[in-house]
């Protein structure tokens, strides 16, 4: 029998961890519970899970710190992280996503919502992983090594900007609306405001430098990566302020 996806549940409250584990098991997943970052790290050193459910508030290292560390580690870099938090503030959501979380679940959440979100993450990861290397002009993104280069020079791109760039480069020449980007990069449910997309797009443009010419803002519609950028008066590389 094919085993279900392995889910590492990092949660210090036994009652919540148990509730999550029972629901995961019932739905065919294979949950492994760790009560803190140290226990989670021991588990990661042994077996890589298919997805990590990571509580924000933990004794010792916070979920945010752990997400950052696991994203920086080549072994754990590509394991999707679903962050659990009691916080609902926009800056905290952005901090979590910046740290490399794939999606967010605000406590209290229903088991159904949790399961739907995990499935969405696994679905979303699968097609993108199939296209590990994307090229547009001299811009190359390698998802396997998590590197972006332009004319052979490495570019420093943040984790959220990397995900946006990966999606846009895997689906080039098409215009993607902010809503589509929210769905495909952040999750099936909109928890982030559309203007947040623009914030990350501005950061992405800065990170891309001259290669930003390939990233077009289509006024009132969205964004696209193109091999044949239009040359505009401002050089085609500057973000237009919208919304
Ligand atoms: Ca906790």
């Amino acid at each position: 029998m094919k085993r279900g996806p392995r889910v590492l549940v990092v949660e210090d409250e036994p009652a919540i961890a148990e509730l999550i584990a029972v629901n995961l098991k019932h739905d065919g997943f294979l949950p492994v519970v760790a009560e803190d970052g140290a226990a989670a790290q021991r588990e990661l050193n042994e077996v890589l899970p298919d997805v990590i459910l990571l509580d924000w508030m933990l004794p010792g290292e916070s979920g945010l710190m752990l997400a950052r560390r696991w994203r920086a580690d080549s072994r754990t870099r590509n394991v999707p992280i679903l962050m659990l938090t009691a916080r609902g503030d926009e800056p905290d959501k952005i901090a979590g996503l910046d740290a490399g979380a794939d999606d967010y679940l605000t406590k209290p959440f229903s088991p159904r919502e949790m399961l739907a979100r995990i499935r969405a993450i696994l679905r979303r990861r699968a097609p993108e992983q199939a296209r590990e290397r994307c090229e547009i002009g001299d811009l190359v993104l390698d998802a396997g090594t998590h590197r972006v280069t332009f004319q052979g020079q490495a570019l420093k791109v943040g984790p959220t900007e990397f995900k946006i760039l990966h999606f846009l480069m895997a689906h080039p020449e098409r215009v993607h609306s902010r809503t589509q980007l929210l769905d495909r990069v952040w999750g099936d449910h909109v928890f982030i405001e559309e203007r947040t997309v623009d914030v990350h797009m501005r950061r992405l443009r800065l990170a891309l430098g001259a290669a930003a010419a390939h990233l077009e803002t289509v006024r009132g519609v969205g964004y696209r990566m193109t091999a044949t950028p239009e040359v505009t008066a401002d050089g085609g590389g500057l973000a237009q302020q919208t919304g």
Side-chain angles (χ1 to χ4, degrees):
M1 201 178 105
K2 188 176 172 291
R3 75 158 177 88
R6 191 182 185 90
V7 183
L8 176 58
V9 181
V10 191
E11 167 64 79
D12 60 309
E13 287 159 76
I16 297 176
E18 177 66 15
L19 182 72
I20 291 173
V22 164
N23 278 283
L24 285 171
K25 250 183 235 162
H26 186 258
D27 226 59
F29 291 92
L30 183 67
V32 180
V33 175
E35 75 276 11
D36 59 17
Q41 188 63 57
R42 281 196 297 277
E43 175 60 27
L44 287 171
N45 294 344
E46 294 288 320
V47 190
L48 277 187
D50 296 290
V51 59
I52 301 172
L53 243 70
L54 179 59
D55 189 28
W56 180 299
M57 301 292 276
L58 291 167
E61 280 185 285
S62 71
L64 193 68
M65 290 163 72
L66 292 168
R68 277 207 192 102
R69 201 172 77 209
W70 292 336
R71 276 295 170 265
D73 184 336
S74 59
R75 178 173 158 77
T76 46
R77 178 171 291 159
N78 294 318
V79 181
I81 297 173
L82 177 59
M83 203 100 171
L84 308 178
T85 180
R87 305 176 185 210
D89 289 347
E90 189 81 357
D92 289 337
K93 288 181 191 172
I94 295 171
L97 295 165
D98 270 351
D102 290 75
D103 199 2
Y104 239 91
L105 208 45
T106 305
K107 290 177 182 177
F109 52 85
S110 74
R112 271 184 64 177
E113 188 184 6
M114 173 189 75
L115 293 166
R117 218 68 82 70
I118 291 174
R119 282 196 213 97
I121 283 181
L122 293 173
R123 265 203 315 275
R124 205 158 63 237
R125 280 275 164 149
E128 246 74 302
Q129 276 174 351
R131 289 204 60 175
E132 289 248 307
R133 187 183 161 89
C134 309
E135 287 182 42
I136 287 184
D138 292 331
L139 183 65
V140 179
L141 178 145
D142 189 325
T145 58
H146 222 263
R147 276 168 65 88
V148 182
T149 59
F150 181 60
Q151 294 172 345
Q153 299 283 313
L155 303 179
K156 200 168 153 50
V157 179
T160 302
E161 290 75 42
F162 186 92
K163 277 193 265 186
I164 295 171
L165 186 63
H166 191 188
F167 176 73
L168 290 174
M169 287 182 75
H171 307 87
E173 308 300 337
R174 299 213 310 259
V175 182
H176 303 278
S177 70
R178 287 170 186 75
T179 309
Q180 285 167 338
L181 285 173
L182 283 170
D183 284 351
R184 297 302 303 267
V185 176
W186 276 273
D188 284 356
H189 307 255
V190 177
F191 288 88
I192 304 293
E193 291 175 40
E194 293 199 355
R195 64 181 164 79
T196 305
V197 176
D198 298 331
V199 172
H200 285 287
M201 295 309 281
R202 280 198 285 278
R203 285 191 203 168
L204 178 57
R205 278 182 199 286
L206 282 174
L208 289 176
H214 290 292
L215 175 56
E216 290 184 348
T217 303
V218 182
R219 200 189 291 271
V221 185
Y223 298 96
R224 108 173 118 204
M225 286 300 289
T226 179
T228 53
E230 272 179 49
V231 178
T232 56
D234 63 11
L238 295 175
Q240 292 163 23
Q241 299 286 333
T242 48

PDB file of all heavy atoms in Angstrom, residues 133-142 147-155 157 165-166 168-169 204 207-215 225-227:
ATOM      1  N   ARG A 133      14.328  24.149 -14.020  1.00  0.00           N
ATOM      2  CA  ARG A 133      15.185  25.171 -14.595  1.00  0.00           C
ATOM      3  C   ARG A 133      14.392  25.980 -15.620  1.00  0.00           C
ATOM      4  O   ARG A 133      13.811  25.421 -16.552  1.00  0.00           O
ATOM      5  CB  ARG A 133      16.383  24.501 -15.281  1.00  0.00           C
ATOM      6  CG  ARG A 133      17.430  25.461 -15.766  1.00  0.00           C
ATOM      7  CD  ARG A 133      18.529  24.684 -16.488  1.00  0.00           C
ATOM      8  NE  ARG A 133      19.317  25.560 -17.337  1.00  0.00           N
ATOM      9  CZ  ARG A 133      20.394  26.210 -16.911  1.00  0.00           C
ATOM     10  NH1 ARG A 133      20.799  26.071 -15.674  1.00  0.00           N
ATOM     11  NH2 ARG A 133      21.057  26.990 -17.735  1.00  0.00           N
ATOM     12  N   CYS A 134      14.336  27.288 -15.425  1.00  0.00           N
ATOM     13  CA  CYS A 134      13.622  28.167 -16.349  1.00  0.00           C
ATOM     14  C   CYS A 134      14.597  29.195 -16.894  1.00  0.00           C
ATOM     15  O   CYS A 134      15.452  29.698 -16.158  1.00  0.00           O
ATOM     16  CB  CYS A 134      12.484  28.907 -15.643  1.00  0.00           C
ATOM     17  SG  CYS A 134      11.372  27.861 -14.699  1.00  0.00           S
ATOM     18  N   GLU A 135      14.456  29.515 -18.188  1.00  0.00           N
ATOM     19  CA  GLU A 135      15.325  30.531 -18.804  1.00  0.00           C
ATOM     20  C   GLU A 135      14.481  31.516 -19.585  1.00  0.00           C
ATOM     21  O   GLU A 135      13.569  31.135 -20.308  1.00  0.00           O
ATOM     22  CB  GLU A 135      16.312  29.871 -19.773  1.00  0.00           C
ATOM     23  CG  GLU A 135      17.408  29.095 -19.094  1.00  0.00           C
ATOM     24  CD  GLU A 135      18.382  28.495 -20.103  1.00  0.00           C
ATOM     25  OE1 GLU A 135      18.736  29.202 -21.072  1.00  0.00           O
ATOM     26  OE2 GLU A 135      18.758  27.324 -19.919  1.00  0.00           O
ATOM     27  N   ILE A 136      14.802  32.799 -19.409  1.00  0.00           N
ATOM     28  CA  ILE A 136      14.219  33.845 -20.249  1.00  0.00           C
ATOM     29  C   ILE A 136      15.352  34.781 -20.609  1.00  0.00           C
ATOM     30  O   ILE A 136      15.934  35.432 -19.725  1.00  0.00           O
ATOM     31  CB  ILE A 136      13.075  34.591 -19.531  1.00  0.00           C
ATOM     32  CG1 ILE A 136      11.845  33.679 -19.445  1.00  0.00           C
ATOM     33  CG2 ILE A 136      12.738  35.885 -20.258  1.00  0.00           C
ATOM     34  CD1 ILE A 136      10.623  34.318 -18.852  1.00  0.00           C
ATOM     35  N   GLY A 137      15.706  34.827 -21.880  1.00  0.00           N
ATOM     36  CA  GLY A 137      16.880  35.611 -22.274  1.00  0.00           C
ATOM     37  C   GLY A 137      18.100  35.108 -21.528  1.00  0.00           C
ATOM     38  O   GLY A 137      18.354  33.902 -21.489  1.00  0.00           O
ATOM     39  N   ASP A 138      18.817  36.023 -20.877  1.00  0.00           N
ATOM     40  CA  ASP A 138      20.012  35.642 -20.122  1.00  0.00           C
ATOM     41  C   ASP A 138      19.710  35.376 -18.650  1.00  0.00           C
ATOM     42  O   ASP A 138      20.606  35.195 -17.848  1.00  0.00           O
ATOM     43  CB  ASP A 138      21.066  36.765 -20.201  1.00  0.00           C
ATOM     44  CG  ASP A 138      21.616  36.916 -21.611  1.00  0.00           C
ATOM     45  OD1 ASP A 138      21.643  35.897 -22.334  1.00  0.00           O
ATOM     46  OD2 ASP A 138      22.022  38.031 -21.979  1.00  0.00           O
ATOM     47  N   LEU A 139      18.411  35.414 -18.318  1.00  0.00           N
ATOM     48  CA  LEU A 139      17.997  35.197 -16.939  1.00  0.00           C
ATOM     49  C   LEU A 139      17.696  33.704 -16.733  1.00  0.00           C
ATOM     50  O   LEU A 139      16.907  33.124 -17.480  1.00  0.00           O
ATOM     51  CB  LEU A 139      16.750  36.034 -16.639  1.00  0.00           C
ATOM     52  CG  LEU A 139      16.205  36.002 -15.214  1.00  0.00           C
ATOM     53  CD1 LEU A 139      17.189  36.604 -14.220  1.00  0.00           C
ATOM     54  CD2 LEU A 139      14.881  36.755 -15.149  1.00  0.00           C
ATOM     55  N   VAL A 140      18.360  33.109 -15.753  1.00  0.00           N
ATOM     56  CA  VAL A 140      18.192  31.674 -15.500  1.00  0.00           C
ATOM     57  C   VAL A 140      17.805  31.455 -14.039  1.00  0.00           C
ATOM     58  O   VAL A 140      18.448  31.996 -13.135  1.00  0.00           O
ATOM     59  CB  VAL A 140      19.505  30.898 -15.800  1.00  0.00           C
ATOM     60  CG1 VAL A 140      19.316  29.406 -15.507  1.00  0.00           C
ATOM     61  CG2 VAL A 140      19.934  31.108 -17.245  1.00  0.00           C
ATOM     62  N   LEU A 141      16.740  30.682 -13.834  1.00  0.00           N
ATOM     63  CA  LEU A 141      16.339  30.310 -12.471  1.00  0.00           C
ATOM     64  C   LEU A 141      16.455  28.799 -12.347  1.00  0.00           C
ATOM     65  O   LEU A 141      15.907  28.062 -13.170  1.00  0.00           O
ATOM     66  CB  LEU A 141      14.911  30.778 -12.190  1.00  0.00           C
ATOM     67  CG  LEU A 141      14.329  30.418 -10.815  1.00  0.00           C
ATOM     68  CD1 LEU A 141      13.409  31.539 -10.334  1.00  0.00           C
ATOM     69  CD2 LEU A 141      13.562  29.101 -10.847  1.00  0.00           C
ATOM     70  N   ASP A 142      17.186  28.358 -11.340  1.00  0.00           N
ATOM     71  CA  ASP A 142      17.330  26.928 -11.089  1.00  0.00           C
ATOM     72  C   ASP A 142      16.699  26.616  -9.732  1.00  0.00           C
ATOM     73  O   ASP A 142      17.242  26.986  -8.688  1.00  0.00           O
ATOM     74  CB  ASP A 142      18.816  26.539 -11.108  1.00  0.00           C
ATOM     75  CG  ASP A 142      19.004  25.023 -11.063  1.00  0.00           C
ATOM     76  OD1 ASP A 142      18.189  24.354 -10.393  1.00  0.00           O
ATOM     77  OD2 ASP A 142      19.947  24.522 -11.691  1.00  0.00           O
ATOM     78  N   ARG A 147      18.920  29.032  -7.214  1.00  0.00           N
ATOM     79  CA  ARG A 147      19.774  30.131  -7.671  1.00  0.00           C
ATOM     80  C   ARG A 147      19.172  30.844  -8.863  1.00  0.00           C
ATOM     81  O   ARG A 147      18.517  30.234  -9.702  1.00  0.00           O
ATOM     82  CB  ARG A 147      21.155  29.595  -8.062  1.00  0.00           C
ATOM     83  CG  ARG A 147      22.109  29.451  -6.888  1.00  0.00           C
ATOM     84  CD  ARG A 147      23.323  28.668  -7.297  1.00  0.00           C
ATOM     85  NE  ARG A 147      24.131  29.349  -8.291  1.00  0.00           N
ATOM     86  CZ  ARG A 147      25.106  30.213  -8.000  1.00  0.00           C
ATOM     87  NH1 ARG A 147      25.377  30.477  -6.748  1.00  0.00           N
ATOM     88  NH2 ARG A 147      25.807  30.800  -8.938  1.00  0.00           N
ATOM     89  N   VAL A 148      19.404  32.155  -8.906  1.00  0.00           N
ATOM     90  CA  VAL A 148      19.010  32.953 -10.057  1.00  0.00           C
ATOM     91  C   VAL A 148      20.258  33.641 -10.582  1.00  0.00           C
ATOM     92  O   VAL A 148      21.023  34.225  -9.813  1.00  0.00           O
ATOM     93  CB  VAL A 148      17.968  34.037  -9.663  1.00  0.00           C
ATOM     94  CG1 VAL A 148      17.524  34.823 -10.889  1.00  0.00           C
ATOM     95  CG2 VAL A 148      16.758  33.409  -8.983  1.00  0.00           C
ATOM     96  N   THR A 149      20.488  33.540 -11.889  1.00  0.00           N
ATOM     97  CA  THR A 149      21.628  34.235 -12.490  1.00  0.00           C
ATOM     98  C   THR A 149      21.164  35.066 -13.678  1.00  0.00           C
ATOM     99  O   THR A 149      20.182  34.731 -14.344  1.00  0.00           O
ATOM    100  CB  THR A 149      22.727  33.265 -12.974  1.00  0.00           C
ATOM    101  OG1 THR A 149      22.160  32.379 -13.947  1.00  0.00           O
ATOM    102  CG2 THR A 149      23.312  32.450 -11.827  1.00  0.00           C
ATOM    103  N   PHE A 150      21.869  36.160 -13.925  1.00  0.00           N
ATOM    104  CA  PHE A 150      21.628  36.979 -15.115  1.00  0.00           C
ATOM    105  C   PHE A 150      22.982  37.232 -15.767  1.00  0.00           C
ATOM    106  O   PHE A 150      23.896  37.726 -15.111  1.00  0.00           O
ATOM    107  CB  PHE A 150      20.952  38.293 -14.738  1.00  0.00           C
ATOM    108  CG  PHE A 150      20.648  39.161 -15.935  1.00  0.00           C
ATOM    109  CD1 PHE A 150      19.817  38.698 -16.957  1.00  0.00           C
ATOM    110  CD2 PHE A 150      21.191  40.429 -16.050  1.00  0.00           C
ATOM    111  CE1 PHE A 150      19.529  39.497 -18.058  1.00  0.00           C
ATOM    112  CE2 PHE A 150      20.902  41.235 -17.150  1.00  0.00           C
ATOM    113  CZ  PHE A 150      20.071  40.768 -18.152  1.00  0.00           C
ATOM    114  N   GLN A 151      23.088  36.849 -17.010  1.00  0.00           N
ATOM    115  CA  GLN A 151      24.352  36.935 -17.746  1.00  0.00           C
ATOM    116  C   GLN A 151      25.497  36.311 -16.927  1.00  0.00           C
ATOM    117  O   GLN A 151      26.599  36.852 -16.855  1.00  0.00           O
ATOM    118  CB  GLN A 151      24.651  38.392 -18.107  1.00  0.00           C
ATOM    119  CG  GLN A 151      23.613  38.924 -19.099  1.00  0.00           C
ATOM    120  CD  GLN A 151      23.716  40.410 -19.369  1.00  0.00           C
ATOM    121  OE1 GLN A 151      24.383  41.146 -18.630  1.00  0.00           O
ATOM    122  NE2 GLN A 151      23.055  40.851 -20.434  1.00  0.00           N
ATOM    123  N   GLY A 152      25.166  35.197 -16.283  1.00  0.00           N
ATOM    124  CA  GLY A 152      26.173  34.439 -15.552  1.00  0.00           C
ATOM    125  C   GLY A 152      26.461  34.943 -14.143  1.00  0.00           C
ATOM    126  O   GLY A 152      27.180  34.297 -13.388  1.00  0.00           O
ATOM    127  N   GLN A 153      25.871  36.088 -13.782  1.00  0.00           N
ATOM    128  CA  GLN A 153      26.098  36.651 -12.447  1.00  0.00           C
ATOM    129  C   GLN A 153      24.953  36.236 -11.506  1.00  0.00           C
ATOM    130  O   GLN A 153      23.786  36.372 -11.869  1.00  0.00           O
ATOM    131  CB  GLN A 153      26.125  38.185 -12.505  1.00  0.00           C
ATOM    132  CG  GLN A 153      27.228  38.765 -13.390  1.00  0.00           C
ATOM    133  CD  GLN A 153      28.591  38.708 -12.712  1.00  0.00           C
ATOM    134  OE1 GLN A 153      28.723  39.078 -11.561  1.00  0.00           O
ATOM    135  NE2 GLN A 153      29.593  38.212 -13.442  1.00  0.00           N
ATOM    136  N   ALA A 154      25.291  35.760 -10.304  1.00  0.00           N
ATOM    137  CA  ALA A 154      24.272  35.353  -9.339  1.00  0.00           C
ATOM    138  C   ALA A 154      23.530  36.574  -8.812  1.00  0.00           C
ATOM    139  O   ALA A 154      24.143  37.605  -8.523  1.00  0.00           O
ATOM    140  CB  ALA A 154      24.923  34.590  -8.194  1.00  0.00           C
ATOM    141  N   LEU A 155      22.208  36.471  -8.694  1.00  0.00           N
ATOM    142  CA  LEU A 155      21.390  37.546  -8.123  1.00  0.00           C
ATOM    143  C   LEU A 155      20.882  37.099  -6.760  1.00  0.00           C
ATOM    144  O   LEU A 155      20.601  35.932  -6.546  1.00  0.00           O
ATOM    145  CB  LEU A 155      20.190  37.849  -9.033  1.00  0.00           C
ATOM    146  CG  LEU A 155      20.482  38.238 -10.482  1.00  0.00           C
ATOM    147  CD1 LEU A 155      19.174  38.474 -11.226  1.00  0.00           C
ATOM    148  CD2 LEU A 155      21.361  39.481 -10.547  1.00  0.00           C
ATOM    149  N   VAL A 157      17.982  36.978  -4.429  1.00  0.00           N
ATOM    150  CA  VAL A 157      16.525  37.096  -4.489  1.00  0.00           C
ATOM    151  C   VAL A 157      15.927  36.482  -3.220  1.00  0.00           C
ATOM    152  O   VAL A 157      16.264  35.355  -2.866  1.00  0.00           O
ATOM    153  CB  VAL A 157      15.972  36.362  -5.742  1.00  0.00           C
ATOM    154  CG1 VAL A 157      14.466  36.458  -5.802  1.00  0.00           C
ATOM    155  CG2 VAL A 157      16.601  36.926  -7.015  1.00  0.00           C
ATOM    156  N   LEU A 165       9.013  34.746  -8.946  1.00  0.00           N
ATOM    157  CA  LEU A 165       9.817  34.671 -10.173  1.00  0.00           C
ATOM    158  C   LEU A 165       9.721  33.281 -10.800  1.00  0.00           C
ATOM    159  O   LEU A 165       9.561  33.147 -12.016  1.00  0.00           O
ATOM    160  CB  LEU A 165      11.280  35.020  -9.853  1.00  0.00           C
ATOM    161  CG  LEU A 165      12.210  35.130 -11.064  1.00  0.00           C
ATOM    162  CD1 LEU A 165      11.776  36.255 -11.998  1.00  0.00           C
ATOM    163  CD2 LEU A 165      13.653  35.332 -10.614  1.00  0.00           C
ATOM    164  N   HIS A 166       9.780  32.256  -9.944  1.00  0.00           N
ATOM    165  CA  HIS A 166       9.677  30.883 -10.443  1.00  0.00           C
ATOM    166  C   HIS A 166       8.347  30.673 -11.158  1.00  0.00           C
ATOM    167  O   HIS A 166       8.289  30.128 -12.256  1.00  0.00           O
ATOM    168  CB  HIS A 166       9.827  29.903  -9.268  1.00  0.00           C
ATOM    169  CG  HIS A 166       9.999  28.474  -9.707  1.00  0.00           C
ATOM    170  ND1 HIS A 166       9.988  27.431  -8.823  1.00  0.00           N
ATOM    171  CD2 HIS A 166      10.176  27.926 -10.931  1.00  0.00           C
ATOM    172  CE1 HIS A 166      10.161  26.290  -9.496  1.00  0.00           C
ATOM    173  NE2 HIS A 166      10.273  26.567 -10.773  1.00  0.00           N
ATOM    174  N   LEU A 168       6.331  32.993 -12.479  1.00  0.00           N
ATOM    175  CA  LEU A 168       6.245  33.805 -13.695  1.00  0.00           C
ATOM    176  C   LEU A 168       7.118  33.227 -14.816  1.00  0.00           C
ATOM    177  O   LEU A 168       6.727  33.221 -15.979  1.00  0.00           O
ATOM    178  CB  LEU A 168       6.661  35.249 -13.411  1.00  0.00           C
ATOM    179  CG  LEU A 168       5.705  36.074 -12.540  1.00  0.00           C
ATOM    180  CD1 LEU A 168       6.322  37.431 -12.219  1.00  0.00           C
ATOM    181  CD2 LEU A 168       4.357  36.260 -13.230  1.00  0.00           C
ATOM    182  N   MET A 169       8.298  32.726 -14.448  1.00  0.00           N
ATOM    183  CA  MET A 169       9.197  32.178 -15.468  1.00  0.00           C
ATOM    184  C   MET A 169       8.723  30.818 -15.969  1.00  0.00           C
ATOM    185  O   MET A 169       8.997  30.438 -17.107  1.00  0.00           O
ATOM    186  CB  MET A 169      10.631  32.080 -14.932  1.00  0.00           C
ATOM    187  CG  MET A 169      11.297  33.445 -14.808  1.00  0.00           C
ATOM    188  SD  MET A 169      13.015  33.344 -14.236  1.00  0.00           S
ATOM    189  CE  MET A 169      13.860  32.766 -15.728  1.00  0.00           C
ATOM    190  N   LEU A 204      11.335  42.407  -6.054  1.00  0.00           N
ATOM    191  CA  LEU A 204      11.826  41.510  -7.106  1.00  0.00           C
ATOM    192  C   LEU A 204      12.542  42.316  -8.191  1.00  0.00           C
ATOM    193  O   LEU A 204      13.620  41.934  -8.653  1.00  0.00           O
ATOM    194  CB  LEU A 204      10.662  40.710  -7.694  1.00  0.00           C
ATOM    195  CG  LEU A 204      10.999  39.756  -8.847  1.00  0.00           C
ATOM    196  CD1 LEU A 204      12.079  38.746  -8.452  1.00  0.00           C
ATOM    197  CD2 LEU A 204       9.741  39.008  -9.305  1.00  0.00           C
ATOM    198  N   ALA A 207      15.901  43.300  -7.023  1.00  0.00           N
ATOM    199  CA  ALA A 207      16.811  42.147  -6.998  1.00  0.00           C
ATOM    200  C   ALA A 207      17.269  41.779  -8.407  1.00  0.00           C
ATOM    201  O   ALA A 207      18.404  41.354  -8.613  1.00  0.00           O
ATOM    202  CB  ALA A 207      16.131  40.952  -6.334  1.00  0.00           C
ATOM    203  N   LEU A 208      16.374  41.967  -9.376  1.00  0.00           N
ATOM    204  CA  LEU A 208      16.698  41.565 -10.752  1.00  0.00           C
ATOM    205  C   LEU A 208      17.636  42.553 -11.441  1.00  0.00           C
ATOM    206  O   LEU A 208      18.359  42.186 -12.365  1.00  0.00           O
ATOM    207  CB  LEU A 208      15.412  41.425 -11.580  1.00  0.00           C
ATOM    208  CG  LEU A 208      14.518  40.232 -11.256  1.00  0.00           C
ATOM    209  CD1 LEU A 208      13.239  40.298 -12.086  1.00  0.00           C
ATOM    210  CD2 LEU A 208      15.244  38.916 -11.508  1.00  0.00           C
ATOM    211  N   GLY A 209      17.630  43.800 -10.989  1.00  0.00           N
ATOM    212  CA  GLY A 209      18.487  44.800 -11.631  1.00  0.00           C
ATOM    213  C   GLY A 209      18.150  44.944 -13.102  1.00  0.00           C
ATOM    214  O   GLY A 209      16.987  45.129 -13.461  1.00  0.00           O
ATOM    215  N   ALA A 210      19.150  44.825 -13.981  1.00  0.00           N
ATOM    216  CA  ALA A 210      18.948  45.006 -15.428  1.00  0.00           C
ATOM    217  C   ALA A 210      17.975  43.964 -15.987  1.00  0.00           C
ATOM    218  O   ALA A 210      17.262  44.229 -16.960  1.00  0.00           O
ATOM    219  CB  ALA A 210      20.287  44.931 -16.152  1.00  0.00           C
ATOM    220  N   ALA A 211      17.932  42.787 -15.366  1.00  0.00           N
ATOM    221  CA  ALA A 211      17.048  41.722 -15.855  1.00  0.00           C
ATOM    222  C   ALA A 211      15.575  42.054 -15.622  1.00  0.00           C
ATOM    223  O   ALA A 211      14.688  41.397 -16.168  1.00  0.00           O
ATOM    224  CB  ALA A 211      17.393  40.399 -15.176  1.00  0.00           C
ATOM    225  N   ALA A 212      15.311  43.085 -14.814  1.00  0.00           N
ATOM    226  CA  ALA A 212      13.933  43.491 -14.539  1.00  0.00           C
ATOM    227  C   ALA A 212      13.213  43.953 -15.803  1.00  0.00           C
ATOM    228  O   ALA A 212      11.985  44.040 -15.830  1.00  0.00           O
ATOM    229  CB  ALA A 212      13.903  44.584 -13.473  1.00  0.00           C
ATOM    230  N   ALA A 213      13.968  44.231 -16.859  1.00  0.00           N
ATOM    231  CA  ALA A 213      13.353  44.611 -18.132  1.00  0.00           C
ATOM    232  C   ALA A 213      12.441  43.486 -18.646  1.00  0.00           C
ATOM    233  O   ALA A 213      11.474  43.742 -19.363  1.00  0.00           O
ATOM    234  CB  ALA A 213      14.433  44.925 -19.168  1.00  0.00           C
ATOM    235  N   HIS A 214      12.756  42.241 -18.265  1.00  0.00           N
ATOM    236  CA  HIS A 214      11.923  41.104 -18.702  1.00  0.00           C
ATOM    237  C   HIS A 214      10.614  41.016 -17.925  1.00  0.00           C
ATOM    238  O   HIS A 214       9.728  40.259 -18.281  1.00  0.00           O
ATOM    239  CB  HIS A 214      12.690  39.786 -18.519  1.00  0.00           C
ATOM    240  CG  HIS A 214      13.825  39.619 -19.481  1.00  0.00           C
ATOM    241  ND1 HIS A 214      13.628  39.435 -20.825  1.00  0.00           N
ATOM    242  CD2 HIS A 214      15.169  39.637 -19.293  1.00  0.00           C
ATOM    243  CE1 HIS A 214      14.805  39.320 -21.430  1.00  0.00           C
ATOM    244  NE2 HIS A 214      15.761  39.456 -20.524  1.00  0.00           N
ATOM    245  N   LEU A 215      10.536  41.757 -16.814  1.00  0.00           N
ATOM    246  CA  LEU A 215       9.347  41.711 -15.961  1.00  0.00           C
ATOM    247  C   LEU A 215       8.489  42.936 -16.258  1.00  0.00           C
ATOM    248  O   LEU A 215       8.865  44.052 -15.915  1.00  0.00           O
ATOM    249  CB  LEU A 215       9.775  41.687 -14.487  1.00  0.00           C
ATOM    250  CG  LEU A 215       8.682  41.757 -13.428  1.00  0.00           C
ATOM    251  CD1 LEU A 215       7.650  40.652 -13.612  1.00  0.00           C
ATOM    252  CD2 LEU A 215       9.296  41.659 -12.039  1.00  0.00           C
ATOM    253  N   MET A 225       6.369  37.879 -17.351  1.00  0.00           N
ATOM    254  CA  MET A 225       7.767  37.750 -17.748  1.00  0.00           C
ATOM    255  C   MET A 225       7.778  37.549 -19.250  1.00  0.00           C
ATOM    256  O   MET A 225       7.034  36.721 -19.779  1.00  0.00           O
ATOM    257  CB  MET A 225       8.419  36.522 -17.106  1.00  0.00           C
ATOM    258  CG  MET A 225       8.738  36.654 -15.638  1.00  0.00           C
ATOM    259  SD  MET A 225       9.873  37.991 -15.206  1.00  0.00           S
ATOM    260  CE  MET A 225      11.414  37.351 -15.854  1.00  0.00           C
ATOM    261  N   THR A 226       8.614  38.304 -19.945  1.00  0.00           N
ATOM    262  CA  THR A 226       8.670  38.173 -21.388  1.00  0.00           C
ATOM    263  C   THR A 226      10.107  38.133 -21.876  1.00  0.00           C
ATOM    264  O   THR A 226      10.986  38.781 -21.301  1.00  0.00           O
ATOM    265  CB  THR A 226       7.890  39.311 -22.080  1.00  0.00           C
ATOM    266  OG1 THR A 226       8.001  39.158 -23.491  1.00  0.00           O
ATOM    267  CG2 THR A 226       8.433  40.678 -21.685  1.00  0.00           C
ATOM    268  N   ALA A 227      10.335  37.362 -22.937  1.00  0.00           N
ATOM    269  CA  ALA A 227      11.665  37.273 -23.540  1.00  0.00           C
ATOM    270  C   ALA A 227      11.953  38.514 -24.379  1.00  0.00           C
ATOM    271  O   ALA A 227      13.099  38.834 -24.647  1.00  0.00           O
ATOM    272  CB  ALA A 227      11.771  36.015 -24.397  1.00  0.00           C
TER     273      ALA A 227
END
